[in-house]
Amino acid sequence: MSTGILDEKQQDNSPENADFKAPACLKFFEKWRFCSSSSNQFHQYYIYGKFKDCSVYKDDMQNCVVYKTTKSETSKQALIEAMRRDEIKFSSADIWERRENPSEYWNSH
């Protein structure tokens, strides 16, 4: 019986584990409420020229409620996918294209 670091890493802590515990549905509600807020929608329109579709957050919230009440396998899989989607982080490096040389018009008048 070993309790080393390697043994801890080998344990299955993934959401697919048999004792899956759904996060609080309030978390999904808050994401949906923020996404659909007027300030966020105006920001999205200003930056991207269109409003953001927040239906995915509403679906996540509904799947959470369904899973908590019925333990539906379909809702469980949808929640696992929502949790994976939340793990993805973006940075400014994902937006800007890298240029090797400055533009030829950089200092021209």
Side-chain angles (χ1 to χ4, degrees), residues 18-68:
D19 30 275
F20 170 73
K21 185 170 190 240
C25 295
L26 185 60
K27 173 185 170 187
F28 296 111
F29 174 74
E30 288 172 351
K31 285 184 178 206
W32 173 69
R33 187 179 68 177
F34 172 76
C35 179
S36 59
S37 70
S38 59
S39 61
N40 184 52
Q41 289 296 343
F42 283 130
H43 177 75
Q44 294 292 320
Y45 189 77
Y46 179 76
I47 299 294
Y48 301 108
K50 61 182 178 178
F51 295 116
K52 185 172 182 177
D53 179 22
C54 300
S55 63
V56 67
Y57 301 113
K58 187 176 181 182
D59 293 342
D60 293 343
M61 179 183 61
Q62 290 172 340
N63 282 323
C64 183
V65 172
V66 168
Y67 177 74
K68 294 246 179 173

